[in-house]
Amino acid sequence: MVPSNLGEEMSTEVTLPPEWEDDERMNFLFSDFKENRDVNTKDWDSKIDFWTSLILKICRSRGTVCFNLQELNKIFQRKGFVPLGLGTVIRCMARCGKIQRESEFAANVDCGWVSWGFGLLLVKPLKWTFSTLLGSSGVTLEESFVVIELVKEKAAELLGVYWSSPVANCSLLSFQELQTLSSHICIDESTLCMALLQLQREKQVTVSLHEGEKIVKFSQPGQDRVSSVSDMDLGIYQLQRSERLLEVRVEALGLEAEKCKEEARVLLREGKKSQALRYLRSRKRVERKADGLNAQLENVKGILDRIANSETDKLVIQAYQAGVSALRLSLKDGTVEGAESLVDQIQELCDTQDEMNQTLAGGALNSTDADTDELEDELRSLLENSTLDRPSTLPEVPSHPLSPVRESGSLCDDLLCALPLVPQSLFNITDEELDKELSRLTLLNVLTTKSHN
């Protein structure tokens, strides 16, 4: 267990690697580095990799992007000993670009942060400058370093939180508001400033000082870089700040009016009518003041609404302009006369196609009728020829008149005698012959019936 408070805190938050309980392995890792890496390259690199990975793990678990040698010694203390080679590890990490001195990290952005009076970045600037100029390879205990990988992660998280927050529509944001917004991401002011410095390096944030107040402007989604702070941005920011101040004052006056009313009620119950009236007068005065502030607040909100609507109108106008330009380009080679001529040509082609279809359909019908008539004529001629060629098997029609009516007993005999003989040949007769024979039989039947009557 690390004896310091920081070490005790970290021992509960950070899970140390399994090697931490291996005395032989940890004695090797806690030993100092050889002066020459080439003596044993494998041992040198394995030790560097172990401590580098563990330092990054420690910083990420703490939620910070900075560390110094003094903190590391407290965190990694084991059985009363501290690692002897952490200075060498820090120098190797700096040469590889994984970490950077805090002062150098800030100086590479711009000098605007000096106007903020931000002392965390300039704790010992003179000592750092001399150390850099003289080429000292030593690492002091208090010298702070920034982990580049972690500060980039924090910067991306901070930008995402701002874009998804309700204040994303505000062009400018005060530093205090930003601290409240990012309190779950940046554990302290130093971490927040490092994230802002990284965003400023990426051209996603600009910082400035307006009337003694630190303000921040973020880029909007879809923008490659943030625009500079304009007069309109400052005007909107002042209006929004006035709106917030008026809302706070109106709320306070409302509470004061309620308090006066309650005091008047209590005094009236106690029979102190004159004092109760005095509190009621105070309440009326507070309410009139609150009404005046409410009117001012509505005016400010109205102005902000007009500004927001003007931005929307601007976007709509830009969209209209783009649409007009696109429509003009699409109709560049077209005219009304050309369109009418094209429609006429299409109608003519449609009419021609209809006529061709009617012609083709009519020819097919006439051809079918002609073929049908020819086939019926041929069928009729075949029937006639077959009738003429076939021999008649029926007897000839008797030409002599029927005998006079006799007695009823002999009438049937006479009729039977008058009937022709039954043909012995095959029934090769036509339909016409059968019809004639049927008519004849019918006539005979009628005559027989009359004779009986």
Side-chain angles (χ1 to χ4, degrees):
M1 185 72 67
V2 181
S4 65
N5 293 335
L6 179 60
E8 291 177 358
E9 180 183 355
M10 292 312 302
S11 65
T12 59
E13 294 181 359
V14 178
T15 302
L16 295 174
E19 297 98 314
W20 204 260
E21 301 301 328
D22 188 346
D23 291 338
E24 183 178 356
R25 174 64 174 166
M26 294 313 299
N27 288 335
F28 164 72
L29 293 172
F30 270 56
S31 63
D32 201 358
F33 286 84
K34 301 294 183 181
E35 293 184 1
N36 190 355
R37 175 178 175 273
D38 297 333
V39 173
N40 194 332
T41 305
K42 183 177 180 181
D43 289 346
W44 178 291
D45 292 342
S46 66
K47 191 183 295 187
I48 289 290
D49 293 340
F50 174 83
W51 289 115
T52 299
S53 175
L54 192 55
I55 289 172
L56 293 178
K57 183 179 179 182
I58 291 293
C59 292
R60 183 174 279 109
S61 64
R62 293 174 60 190
T64 184
V65 297
C66 301
F67 68 88
N68 58 41
L69 183 57
Q70 185 177 10
E71 292 176 346
L72 295 182
N73 285 334
K74 293 178 180 179
I75 295 170
F76 298 138
Q77 187 176 9
R78 180 180 183 272
K79 295 182 179 181
F81 295 96
V82 295
L84 300 178
L86 289 180
T88 303
V89 174
I90 291 174
R91 289 194 297 271
C92 289
M93 293 176 68
R95 283 197 299 268
C96 295
K98 294 182 178 180
I99 62 174
Q100 192 176 7
R101 283 184 171 90
E102 197 175 78
S103 58
E104 295 175 357
F105 184 81
N108 289 336
V109 181
D110 62 16
C111 61
W113 287 78
V114 179
S115 62
W116 281 39
F118 182 51
L120 293 177
L121 297 177
L122 302 173
V123 178
K124 295 179 183 287
L126 186 61
K127 183 176 181 179
W128 289 349
T129 303
F130 281 144
S131 176
T132 304
L133 292 176
L134 296 176
S136 173
S137 59
V139 179
T140 62
L141 293 175
E142 297 84 5
E143 189 172 7
S144 183
F145 293 88
V146 180
V147 183
I148 304 301
E149 177 184 348
L150 298 183
V151 76
K152 289 182 178 180
E153 293 177 3
K154 287 293 181 184
E157 291 180 11
L158 180 61
L159 187 61
V161 167
Y162 168 76
W163 282 348
S164 60
S165 67
V167 297
N169 57 349
C170 299
S171 57
L172 296 179
L173 204 63
S174 68
F175 188 73
Q176 289 74 19
E177 291 174 331
L178 186 58
Q179 279 184 305
T180 303
L181 181 65
S182 61
S183 59
H184 64 290
I185 296 176
C186 302
I187 61 172
D188 51 26
E189 185 178 354
S190 176
T191 305
L192 175 58
C193 288
M194 290 302 163
L196 287 175
L197 280 170
Q198 179 61 33
L199 289 174
Q200 192 170 4
R201 177 180 291 179
E202 297 172 359
K203 309 298 183 184
Q204 297 296 322
V205 159
T206 181
V207 297
S208 59
L209 195 65
H210 178 69
E211 296 181 355
E213 187 178 12
K214 305 169 187 177
I215 56 177
V216 182
K217 182 178 182 180
F218 286 84
S219 64
Q220 297 300 318
Q223 292 181 350
D224 295 335
R225 58 176 58 198
V226 64
S227 58
S228 59
V229 179
S230 63
D231 293 337
M232 187 178 70
D233 293 333
L234 292 174
I236 295 175
Y237 175 73
Q238 289 180 342
L239 285 172
Q240 290 173 342
R241 185 173 61 176
S242 300
E243 180 185 16
R244 289 190 293 269
L245 291 175
L246 287 172
E247 287 175 347
V248 171
R249 293 186 63 185
V250 167
E251 184 178 359
L253 290 174
L255 294 175
E256 185 178 354
E258 287 296 326
K259 184 178 179 181
C260 292
K261 182 179 178 181
E262 188 64 26
E263 289 290 340
R265 183 182 291 109
V266 172
L267 292 172
L268 187 61
R269 289 175 182 173
E270 295 176 355
K272 302 176 182 180
K273 185 176 181 181
S274 59
Q275 296 180 6
L277 289 174
R278 186 166 60 251
Y279 272 100
L280 288 178
R281 292 191 188 96
S282 299
R283 175 173 173 266
K284 291 294 184 181
R285 184 168 57 252
V286 171
E287 288 179 346
R288 285 195 297 268
K289 191 174 181 180
D291 292 339
L293 292 179
N294 265 320
Q296 297 177 14
L297 181 60
E298 290 299 324
N299 290 334
V300 172
K301 288 184 177 181
I303 295 173
L304 289 174
D305 289 340
R306 287 179 179 272
I307 294 174
N309 291 335
S310 66
E311 291 294 325
T312 304
D313 295 340
K314 182 179 178 181
L315 294 176
V316 172
I317 291 173
Q318 291 176 354
Y320 283 167
Q321 290 175 347
V324 170
S325 299
L327 187 59
R328 184 179 293 109
L329 290 175
S330 64
L331 298 177
K332 182 178 181 181
D333 298 330
T335 60
V336 177
E337 292 78 6
E340 292 178 349
S341 176
L342 184 61
V343 172
D344 293 340
Q345 293 178 16
I346 293 174
Q347 187 62 44
E348 290 179 1
L349 292 175
C350 291
D351 294 341
T352 302
Q353 185 181 17
D354 292 340
E355 293 177 0
M356 292 175 64
N357 291 336
Q358 292 177 1
T359 301
L360 293 175
L365 291 175
N366 293 336
S367 175
T368 303
D369 294 340
D371 294 341
T372 303
D373 294 340
E374 292 177 359
L375 291 175
E376 289 181 353
D377 293 340
E378 185 176 358
L379 181 60
R380 190 179 298 107
S381 63
L382 288 175
L383 289 174
E384 292 176 355
N385 293 334
S386 63
T387 303
L388 294 176
D389 296 339
R390 183 181 302 111
S392 178
T393 58
L394 294 176
E396 294 181 356
V397 178
S399 58
H400 59 275
L402 294 175
S403 301
V405 179
R406 300 179 185 182
E407 295 179 359
S408 59
S410 62
L411 179 60
C412 292
D413 296 336
D414 294 338
L415 288 173
L416 291 175
C417 294
L419 291 175
L421 297 175
V422 177
Q424 299 299 323
S425 62
L426 297 174
F427 293 95
N428 295 326
I429 59 177
T430 63
D431 293 340
E432 294 179 357
E433 292 174 347
L434 290 175
D435 291 338
K436 291 180 181 180
E437 187 67 22
L438 182 61
S439 300
R440 180 182 175 189
L441 290 174
T442 302
L443 179 60
L444 290 175
N445 189 19
V446 170
L447 294 176
T448 304
T449 304
K450 288 182 178 181
S451 63
H452 281 291
N453 293 333

